[in-house]
Amino acid sequence: MAVVTDAPAPGAATSGTPLPPRPRTSANLVAARTVLVLLLGAAIWSVVALEISVASMVRGLENAGLFLARTVPLDFPPLGELLVMTAETLAIVVVATVIAVVLSLPVAIFAAASTTSGPVAQGAARTVIVLCRAVPDVVFAIVLFRVFGLGALPGILALGLHSIGMIGKLYADAIEDLDGGPAEAVRAAGGSRAQWITSTVIPQVMPQLIATALHRFDINLRTSVLLGYVGVGGIGLELANALRTMQYQRGMALALIILVLCIVVEMVSGAVRATLLGRVPADRRGLVGFMDRVAGGWVTAPRGGSEPQRTRQGRVRVAPQWDGERIRRFAGVTLTVAVVAVATLYADMDFSTMVSDLLALPQVLAAFLPPSPQDLLDTLLEAMLVTIQIGLAATLLGLVLALPIGILAARNVAPNASVAKFFRVVIVVVRGLPELILAIVFIVITGLGPVPGTLALAIGSVGLLGKLVADSLEETDVRVQDAVRATGATGSQVFFGSTLWQVGPQLIAHVLYQLDVNIRSATLLGIVGAGGIGFYLLNASRVQEFDVVAFIILLVLVTVLAVEALAVWTRRALR
């Protein structure tokens, strides 16, 4: 006999317990999604308005062929001259990065919620970080050249001040993520604020501090090349002079040298960062493993257990023993100090007139006030709009390229390990390409204007966005994927139904961060003729119309802060 039962009413559980109501969508979430749709529409409009298409690239191939014929054979400078300019570039970058690290650490301590001395100090420190990030390096360089005159000092200070924005923020984030237990223990024992910060906070974040400094060193190396266009010495200055005087054979040779230098530095610093952050397997083989076996484990000596270490006399050791790890650490610190000392001497900074220059600072700043566009208001506003369009279009094109590359670079998504390794190598190589060099290449192909800047930033975005996409995919909860796979889902169903869904918010946050970066970079690439407000900034500086320079700086500052505020609000609303 058939049994007939009533079907459960919609919205009610089969057990009779009503299902909880679906959470209402907040107004902030709706607004954030609306902003994303508007940004997507603006990015598509920018691509169309800038006339970026495959057809325009094909039309430029003939120009590229003619230009390349004028660049061969490459004219490399003599070895001695090359070593001198390379050493000058590296010295400027090393000193600038060290200055940024030294200044960023106290700023980060005051900016971090767990170590700040109060809300006023925290607000002031975070304001310093935001302002240093918002003002591009070139703007700092133009103002500082006016204050200190020509030489390495303005370039070093410009790189160092702008670096505080990134280093200070990352340092503050690292401090806030620390385990507060050790600091609480020192405070409970009566330790002062300085004691618990120096004995618990600094040692815990030291690997992140060094890794961030190395990462910033890579960025400063690329930026120093661009600063050559405003007078900062080194390879960038020689490259700018060669292209300005149409010595394309020498210019392309220097561009190739810069490319190789950036890739080598990127690979070396990346390897050091991976080692510091513990991403190198402890049981690695090769020469180190062989030496370790010969030395009976002395090279990778045990880190010690819960029992205190004792001296031969039986007393508790209060300082680490001189094992292999401590020797390597000491050698690294010694080498770093030696490199910084040599770089400081080689940078040839002139401090003899610093006091008089600083005393004349009010008169120098008066030349920038009041900011005025003169009769260029419409032109400057239009150039700023083009800069924003370059950033939007580059981010969209970069996302289109980076998404498949990042997906195939993720080891938990790629078809096999070889595919993932191949695309990881692609990402590393692209990250090593300076955007300035890419912009010069595209200027050759497409001519002056916003198109080469957009294409250069789009390819540059592949390096950062591709890495962030791959890392986010690998950090997903594999249990969710296994659960979906256990139901018989195919590989594509697992990816779109669980993996990609998990990284959606992070992916949007990465894209907004890339948009922020691209708009800042678009401001700089205009200096080499890649379109946007940078072209007018450089021209106003050359003819010493400092009121126009100040107006452009304000325009850039307001735009960058507005974009950053929008990106931060959208990311928070989507969490």
Side-chain angles (χ1 to χ4, degrees), residues 424-463:
R424 283 179 171 269
V425 171
V426 170
I427 290 174
V428 170
V429 172
V430 173
R431 289 187 66 193
L433 298 175
E435 292 166 346
L436 172 64
I437 303 302
L438 292 174
I440 292 174
V441 171
F442 283 116
I443 286 175
V444 171
I445 297 176
T446 64
L448 297 173
V451 174
T454 305
L455 296 177
L457 292 178
I459 293 180
S461 301
V462 173

Side-chain angles (χ1 to χ4, degrees), residues 219-564:
I219 297 174
N220 284 344
L221 176 60
R222 301 155 194 264
T223 307
S224 69
V225 178
L226 182 61
L227 292 184
Y229 279 77
V230 294
V232 176
I235 300 181
L237 180 60
E238 297 298 328
L239 173 65
N241 291 335
L243 295 180
R244 194 176 295 127
T245 55
M246 303 180 69
Q247 300 179 44
Y248 297 121
Q249 293 174 326
R250 173 60 61 91
M252 288 300 102
L254 292 173
L256 181 61
I257 293 170
I258 294 169
L259 176 63
V260 173
L261 184 63
C262 289
I263 292 177
V264 170
V265 171
E266 168 78 18
M267 294 179 67
V268 171
S269 65
V272 175
R273 288 199 301 271
T275 303
L276 289 172
L277 297 178
R279 294 171 184 165
V280 176
D283 57 345
R284 61 184 179 183
R285 303 184 179 186
L287 180 61
V288 174
F290 172 76
M291 296 298 294
D292 196 23
R293 288 192 294 274
V294 172
W298 180 81
V299 177
T300 56
R303 299 172 184 272
S306 56
E307 293 296 325
Q309 296 179 357
R310 297 184 180 276
T311 63
R312 292 180 178 178
Q313 291 73 26
R315 292 192 294 269
V316 175
R317 187 187 298 276
V318 295
Q321 63 178 347
W322 283 94
D323 54 12
E325 182 179 355
R326 188 179 181 188
I327 292 173
R328 287 195 298 272
R329 189 165 59 244
F330 178 78
V333 172
T334 304
L335 179 62
T336 302
V337 172
V339 169
V340 172
V342 173
T344 304
L345 295 174
Y346 198 82
D348 193 24
M349 293 180 290
D350 184 9
F351 296 100
S352 60
T353 61
M354 175 171 277
V355 175
S356 59
D357 291 338
L358 291 176
L359 291 176
L361 185 60
Q363 291 81 5
V364 173
L365 293 180
F368 290 84
L369 301 175
S372 170
Q374 296 187 6
D375 57 348
L376 298 173
L377 179 60
D378 293 340
T379 303
L380 295 181
L381 292 178
E382 184 179 353
M384 195 67 239
L385 177 61
V386 171
T387 300
I388 297 173
Q389 286 179 321
I390 292 173
L392 286 167
T395 305
L396 178 60
L397 297 176
L399 177 63
V400 171
L401 296 172
L403 198 55
I405 293 176
I407 290 172
L408 291 172
R411 287 177 283 242
N412 59 336
V413 177
N416 53 61
S418 299
V419 172
K421 186 177 295 183
F422 171 77
F423 281 99
R424 283 179 171 269
V425 171
V426 170
I427 290 174
V428 170
V429 172
V430 173
R431 289 187 66 193
L433 298 175
E435 292 166 346
L436 172 64
I437 303 302
L438 292 174
I440 292 174
V441 171
F442 283 116
I443 286 175
V444 171
I445 297 176
T446 64
L448 297 173
V451 174
T454 305
L455 296 177
L457 292 178
I459 293 180
S461 301
V462 173
L464 179 58
L465 264 182
K467 179 181 184 301
L468 293 175
V469 170
D471 290 345
S472 297
L473 288 172
E474 290 188 353
E475 291 171 359
T476 54
D477 188 351
V478 295
R479 294 172 298 181
V480 179
Q481 301 162 23
D482 292 340
V484 176
R485 192 177 292 109
T487 63
T490 63
S492 59
Q493 289 174 326
V494 171
F495 174 71
F496 288 104
S498 61
T499 308
L500 193 59
W501 187 256
Q502 289 186 66
V503 301
Q506 292 94 332
L507 181 60
I508 293 173
H510 298 331
V511 173
L512 290 174
Y513 174 70
Q514 187 66 58
L515 173 63
D516 188 8
V517 172
N518 281 345
I519 289 182
R520 297 169 196 267
S521 301
T523 304
L524 306 180
L525 290 184
I527 290 176
V528 297
I533 196 71
F535 174 75
Y536 297 94
L537 177 65
L538 184 62
N539 281 348
S541 173
R542 282 176 176 169
V543 299
Q544 299 190 357
E545 293 179 344
F546 296 110
D547 52 346
V548 178
V549 171
F551 183 83
I552 295 176
I553 291 174
L554 284 179
L555 203 58
V556 171
L557 191 61
V558 170
T559 303
V560 169
L561 289 177
V563 171
E564 183 169 355

Side-chain angles (χ1 to χ4, degrees), residues 72-159:
V72 292
L74 296 176
D75 179 20
F76 288 96
L79 181 59
E81 183 180 341
L82 176 62
L83 292 177
V84 168
M85 66 177 72
T86 302
E88 185 179 4
T89 299
L90 292 176
I92 291 174
V93 175
V94 167
V95 177
T97 306
V98 171
I99 290 176
V101 169
V102 172
L103 296 178
S104 296
L105 188 55
V107 173
I109 289 175
F110 283 108
S114 56
T115 55
T116 187
S117 58
V120 175
Q122 185 181 22
R126 289 188 176 273
T127 301
V128 170
I129 291 174
V130 170
L131 289 178
C132 288
R133 286 187 66 205
V135 179
D137 318 67
V138 172
V139 172
F140 275 124
I142 290 174
V143 175
L144 291 170
F145 270 124
R146 181 66 179 169
V147 175
F148 297 108
L150 295 176
L153 183 60
I156 291 172
L157 293 178
L159 286 173

